[in-house]
């Protein structure tokens, strides 16, 4: 009988993080920790993944559903310990016909499906199995106690009695278990909270199961960094540094050019093609895609954005959910907000902000401009200081500018408004009415020269 479902323990507060944010939502290279755990489970357990949530349950569920819409949730109202968390999930797992469940802590962000596959290989005919790693310092991990080489149980760090068990071996519990539901049903009710933390420990199942003659197995996963838990800011930083190194190493090996790679932070969920050229410090996260020969220069932040071939993102630019087509130039100091789409060979220069705006092929907005809820036709030039006034305090309105138009500097376009193809707008205009194709529009007070200036002195 193989494993049929996975249960992620994700209800804890993460007290040692000193943060209001639920621990499993703390990010590693821009992605919540729990996302890494779910990604590792995906191959083997798609459709059969349960999460126990509690602290910040709504927030955790909303986040999880954004990338795992078929996940199931169980609420652990009070966080009484990992054993209690599993007990909360038991009725649902049983109702779903699950006979054996893979249980995993939600705070193991470096986990990979490869490690889960290794673990599965070692299960044999066990009723209860858990993964162990050996650390130079067992720290706050549950210690594996073997008496004369025979597995005796897991003793949590706080409850470890040196006099009784001797110095710990360094072999610790990694927080990954495979358990038959029959065993859970029999033994979970026997787990008590008579320990230093006053919590119901999942790890007590091990000793109980051994006493009752169940087949229990500790599966050694070596000194495996993939199974390190994250409980504190320090551990989070360490996990992030390890992941950053391995992501960048893989990218370099695949042919991506990374300059100052130690300061390049790329999420493993982003796609970067060989031949892309990226200079640190910079951050590329979410579902970003950087194509071959695209360039991202230093001090850029790119999230959920696509940068096509030969496009160039110059220093200090900020992109979120933007699409930059090939050979477009962005920045320095540009801001592309969600829904910004830059046509091939278009330019967006310094201190230009775009939101829900499409720039046509070869169009240019090079200086000090805000374009929101707008379309700009191919070949159009947007002068310095142009603003689309898209918001009246209640609603947003559209601005449409045709092809090959020329918008003079310091123009305000009060939406909704249309400017036709080949139209020309004089500098300093406030455009409140549509401008037909090919027309010149000027909307500003006429200049008066009032004779010699008075001597103010
Ligand atoms: C746990 C193990 C420890 C192991 C370590 C590995 C127990 C008692 N101890 O310790 O043996 O070495 O993981 O990293 O299990 N959670 C709930 N509900 C709760 C409490 C916790 O869902 O009531 C979740 C947390 O959100 C977390 C996971 O369970 O994702 C583990 O809890 P945590 O408090 O981090 O346990 P550790 O002290 O790390
Ligand atoms: Ca932990």
């Amino acid at each position: 009988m193989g494993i049929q479902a996975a249960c992620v323990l994700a209800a804890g507060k993460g007290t040692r993080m000193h943060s209001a944010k639920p621990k499993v939502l703390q990010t590693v290279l821009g992605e919540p920790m729990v996302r890494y755990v779910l990604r590792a489970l995906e191959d083997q357990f798609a459709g059969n993944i349960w999460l126990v949530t509690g602290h910040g349950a709504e927030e955790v569920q909303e986040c999880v559903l954004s990338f795992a819409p078929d996940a199931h949730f169980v609420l652990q109202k009070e966080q009484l310990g990992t054993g209690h968390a599993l007990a909360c999930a038991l009725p649902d797992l049983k109702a779903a016909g699950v006979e054996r469940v893979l249980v995993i802590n939600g705070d193991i962000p470096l986990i990979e499906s490869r490690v889960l596959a290794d673990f599965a290989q070692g299960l044999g005919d066990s009723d209860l199995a858990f993964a162990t790693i050996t650390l130079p310092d067992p720290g706050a991990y549950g210690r594996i106690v073997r008496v004369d080489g025979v597995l005796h149980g897991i003793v949590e760090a706080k409850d470890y009695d040196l006099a009784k068990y001797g110095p710990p071996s360094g072999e610790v519990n990694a927080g990954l278990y495979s358990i038959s539901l029959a065993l859970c049903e029999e033994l979970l009710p026997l787990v008590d909270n008579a320990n230093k933390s006053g919590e119901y420990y999942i790890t007590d199942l091990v000793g109980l199961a051994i006493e009752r003659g169940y087949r229990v197995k500790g599966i050694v996963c070596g000194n495996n960094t993939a199974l390190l838990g994250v409980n504190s800011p320090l551990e989070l930083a360490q996990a992030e540094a390890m992941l950053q190194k391995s992501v960048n190493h893989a990218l370099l090996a695949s042919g991506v050019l990374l300059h100052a790679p130690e300061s390049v932070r790329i999420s493993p969920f982003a796609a970067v093609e060989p031949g892309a050229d990226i200079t640190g410090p910079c951050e590329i996260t979410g579902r970003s895609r950087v194509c071959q020969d695209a360039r991202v220069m230093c001090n850029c932040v790119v999230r959920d954005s696509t940068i096509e071939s030969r496009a160039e993102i110059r220093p200090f630019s900020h992109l979120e959910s933007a699409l930059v087509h090939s050979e477009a130039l962005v920045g320095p100091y540009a801001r592309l907000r969600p829904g910004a789409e830059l046509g091939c060979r278009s330019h967006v220069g310094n201190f230009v902000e775009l939101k829900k705006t499409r720039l046509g092929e070869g169009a240019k907005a090079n200086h000090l401009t805000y374009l929101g809820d707008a379309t700009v036709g191919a070949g159009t030039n947007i002068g310095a200081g142009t603003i689309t006034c898209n918001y009246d305090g209640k609603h947003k309105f559209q601005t449409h500018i045709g092809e090959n138009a020329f918008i003079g500097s310091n123009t305000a376009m009060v939406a909704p408004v249309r400017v036709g193809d080949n139209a020309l707008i004089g500098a300093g205009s406030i455009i409140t009415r549509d401008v037909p194709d090919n027309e010149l529009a000027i909307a500003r007070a006429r200049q008066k020269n009032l004779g010699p200036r008075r001597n103010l002195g």
Side-chain angles (χ1 to χ4, degrees):
M1 177 190 57
I3 295 170
Q4 294 160 341
C7 179
V8 182
L9 306 183
K13 182 169 183 227
T15 313
R16 287 163 279 180
M17 283 292 178
H18 299 279
S19 160
K21 197 196 260 191
K23 182 169 69 174
V24 295
L25 297 189
Q26 297 291 352
T27 59
V28 173
L29 294 180
E31 301 298 332
M33 286 205 271
V34 66
R35 183 163 191 191
Y36 290 94
V37 175
L38 288 173
R39 182 180 64 156
L41 293 171
E42 225 161 54
D43 292 349
Q44 221 179 322
F45 299 101
N48 295 309
I49 301 176
W50 274 259
L51 288 103
V52 181
T53 60
H55 181 79
E58 272 177 33
E59 215 182 319
V60 174
Q61 288 184 26
E62 191 188 326
C63 170
V64 167
L65 287 173
S66 72
F67 53 77
D70 57 359
H72 310 284
F73 298 94
V74 177
L75 188 65
Q76 183 192 20
K77 283 201 193 94
E78 270 184 287
Q79 287 74 63
L80 303 180
T82 46
H84 178 254
L86 178 58
C88 290
L90 204 55
D92 282 41
L93 293 169
K94 233 188 117 190
V98 174
E99 289 178 32
R100 184 189 259 273
V101 62
L102 184 100
V103 180
I104 183 167
N105 289 354
D107 61 356
I108 312 179
L110 302 184
I111 186 79
E112 289 170 18
S113 53
R114 177 180 57 77
V115 178
L116 295 178
D118 283 354
F119 179 64
Q121 286 283 313
L123 292 180
D125 62 355
S126 59
D127 303 302
L128 165 56
F130 54 93
T132 76
I133 50 176
T134 299
L135 301 173
D137 171 7
Y141 286 81
R143 283 109 166 96
I144 310 303
V145 175
R146 296 182 194 266
V147 178
D148 299 328
V150 179
L151 185 63
H152 175 77
I154 301 176
V155 182
E156 290 305 310
K158 281 185 192 163
D159 304 301
Y160 194 82
D161 185 344
L162 256 182
K164 190 166 167 193
Y165 303 116
S169 66
E171 189 187 4
V172 298
N173 171 31
L176 169 64
Y177 318 82
S178 169
I179 320 179
S180 85
L181 250 64
L183 184 150
C184 288
E185 279 192 279
E186 185 192 337
L187 301 185
L188 273 175
L190 305 181
V191 172
D192 65 23
N193 64 351
N195 52 51
K196 288 265 166 62
S197 309
E199 288 186 4
Y200 297 87
Y201 295 153
I202 192 173
T203 46
D204 280 359
L205 284 180
V206 173
L208 287 168
I210 292 170
E211 277 168 31
R212 279 161 185 75
Y214 279 104
R215 286 160 299 197
V216 182
K217 209 170 166 190
I219 300 176
V220 180
C221 293
N223 191 1
N224 201 333
T225 49
L227 288 170
L228 292 174
V230 168
N231 303 292
S232 65
L234 179 63
E235 287 171 351
L236 184 73
Q238 287 167 339
E240 194 161 44
M242 281 187 255
L243 188 64
Q244 180 192 12
K245 225 173 173 174
S246 78
V247 167
N248 288 357
H249 190 273
L251 290 174
L252 285 163
S254 77
V256 175
L257 286 121
L258 297 182
H259 308 277
E262 66 289 346
S263 62
V264 173
R265 293 161 44 81
I266 300 179
S267 156
F269 293 88
V272 183
E273 294 179 3
D277 183 322
I278 296 165
T279 301
C282 76
E283 185 168 294
I284 299 172
T285 56
R287 285 171 196 271
S288 292
R289 180 178 183 84
V290 184
C291 298
Q292 185 177 20
D293 289 313
R295 258 183 109 179
V296 177
M297 296 164 81
C298 64
N299 295 296
C300 289
V301 174
V302 176
R303 177 149 192 100
D304 294 325
S305 297
T306 295
I307 303 166
E308 287 185 352
S309 180
R310 294 182 304 284
E312 195 168 294
I313 314 299
R314 294 175 172 168
F316 293 98
S317 295
H318 191 282
L319 281 67
E320 189 184 349
S321 302
L323 171 53
V324 178
H325 289 292
S326 58
E327 296 179 56
L329 300 181
V330 177
Y333 297 100
R335 179 164 183 213
L336 304 183
R337 290 170 52 198
E341 180 177 349
L342 272 55
C344 297
R345 290 177 296 284
S346 63
H347 295 187
V348 165
N350 40 269
F351 308 108
V352 173
E353 173 181 345
L354 263 67
K355 186 217 70 171
K356 284 193 187 155
T357 288
R358 229 175 49 229
L359 269 193
E361 235 183 273
K364 291 179 186 160
N366 270 330
H367 331 269
L368 301 158
T369 285
Y370 171 63
L371 299 171
D373 304 301
T375 57
V376 176
T380 286
N381 189 85
I382 306 286
T386 296
I387 306 282
T388 52
C389 309
N390 59 328
Y391 185 49
D392 65 1
K394 269 199 179 142
H395 301 104
K396 303 273 170 70
F397 300 95
Q398 299 280 323
T399 301
H400 295 290
I401 304 170
E403 295 184 358
N404 299 311
F406 187 96
I407 312 297
S409 295
N410 207 30
T411 293
M413 283 170 288
V414 182
V417 72
R418 281 181 177 273
V419 175
D421 292 346
N422 290 307
L424 173 65
I425 294 181
S429 290
I430 298 180
I431 300 297
T432 54
R433 287 189 293 131
D434 290 357
V435 180
D437 291 353
N438 304 308
E439 277 203 29
L440 165 66
I442 298 182
R444 63 175 189 237
R446 186 178 286 275
Q447 178 174 341
K448 291 178 192 155
N449 290 348
L450 302 172
R453 63 177 267 200
R454 252 185 291 155
N455 191 342
L456 298 173

